[in-house]
Amino acid sequence: MKKGEQRKQELLKLAYRMFIEKGYENTSIDEIVAKAGIAKGTYYYYFASKEATLEAVIEMMIEKESAVAKGILQAPLSIPEKLVAVVNAFRPEKEEVVITDVLERKENIVMHDKICKKIVEVAVPILAEIVKEGIAQGVFACTLIEERVKMLLVTSQHMFDYGDFGAKDVAVYIDMLEKSLGAKPGTMHFISKVLVEGAKE
């Protein structure tokens, strides 16, 4: 890694920790600069604004989540379990919610859209690989794999990421998931427990 890129990564990791510890709104560029022990001009060489830093921090989080998701491909899990585990891998950790919640504000709607598209772009190929493995094993039977997993992922993001759903929503989602992937009824039923437990956390 080149020295400049290494410095940028160090700044990103520092901003990430400060956003978690103090909150995004309560962390100023001056504080990041002081903690990093660099000139303000050096900071602006890497990031045009605090918002640009936030976007880069979230993209760094997605890269970390992607590495976890790829590791799940080799995990000793059933095909349905792998599918759910990968979707969950792209959810922020508890301490990171203070960062991702900033995206829900109206002024950040463009960045929110951009980040959601980035997650889809990274997650869909991994999910598609699992579905293909499931087809080979006779667990799933479907075509247009990438399109199906994209639709299911986007639905999952909008429905379940904020815990605002009921038992009927979960039942319909599982039914839709099984029918879309050509799975036998009951194959994905375990998801209801995963979602209910996740909402309680």
Side-chain angles (χ1 to χ4, degrees):
M1 188 184 290
K2 290 182 180 178
K3 193 174 180 181
E5 184 58 30
Q6 190 174 341
R7 171 61 65 85
K8 184 177 181 181
Q9 290 304 314
E10 287 169 359
L11 273 173
L12 270 181
K13 287 172 185 173
L14 176 61
Y16 167 80
R17 290 307 325 167
M18 291 181 76
F19 289 165
I20 286 174
E21 289 164 12
K22 299 189 66 176
Y24 173 75
E25 295 296 345
N26 297 324
T27 304
S28 68
I29 289 176
D30 286 340
E31 287 173 314
I32 296 172
V33 166
K35 191 96 172 175
I38 58 172
K40 208 166 186 179
T42 304
Y43 176 91
Y44 283 117
Y45 173 78
Y46 295 110
F47 305 106
S49 63
K50 189 175 152 187
E51 290 75 19
T53 309
L54 173 65
E55 186 173 341
V57 162
I58 293 174
E59 286 185 353
M60 181 181 74
M61 287 162 53
I62 293 171
E63 283 176 21
K64 180 185 70 175
E65 292 162 359
S66 176
V68 171
K70 286 174 182 174
I72 291 166
L73 292 175
Q74 310 304 324
L77 299 169
S78 69
I79 293 297
E81 286 170 336
K82 280 186 183 181
L83 206 62
V84 174
V86 166
V87 171
N88 283 336
F90 285 95
R91 294 207 167 98
E93 293 175 18
K94 273 186 183 178
E95 66 171 8
E96 294 174 340
V97 172
V98 69
I99 297 175
T100 54
D101 275 356
V102 179
L103 294 176
E104 297 310 305
R105 295 173 190 161
K106 287 180 182 177
E107 65 268 24
N108 293 326
I109 192 165
V110 173
M111 194 192 303
H112 180 273
D113 187 48
K114 192 173 175 182
I115 293 297
C116 284
K117 284 178 181 174
K118 178 74 175 175
I119 291 173
V120 168
E121 179 188 311
V122 174
V124 164
I126 302 171
L127 291 167
E129 197 169 325
I130 295 169
V131 172
K132 286 172 187 172
E133 191 183 343
I135 291 170
Q137 291 184 20
V139 178
F140 301 136
C142 62
T143 56
L144 302 171
I145 297 165
E146 284 79 6
E147 290 76 12
R148 288 176 195 272
V149 294
K150 180 180 178 180
M151 190 68 68
L152 294 167
L153 177 62
V154 170
T155 304
S156 169
Q157 282 177 332
H158 286 284
M159 280 190 70
F160 305 124
D161 280 5
Y162 307 105
D164 187 22
F165 57 89
K168 289 180 181 177
D169 296 316
V170 174
V172 169
Y173 180 75
I174 290 171
D175 182 59
M176 185 177 76
L177 186 60
E178 290 175 343
K179 285 176 178 172
S180 180
L181 298 177
K184 291 177 183 175
T187 302
M188 309 299 295
H189 187 69
F190 71 96
I191 293 177
S192 60
K193 187 181 178 184
V194 174
L195 288 168
V196 170
E197 287 177 354
K200 287 177 183 175
E201 287 181 5

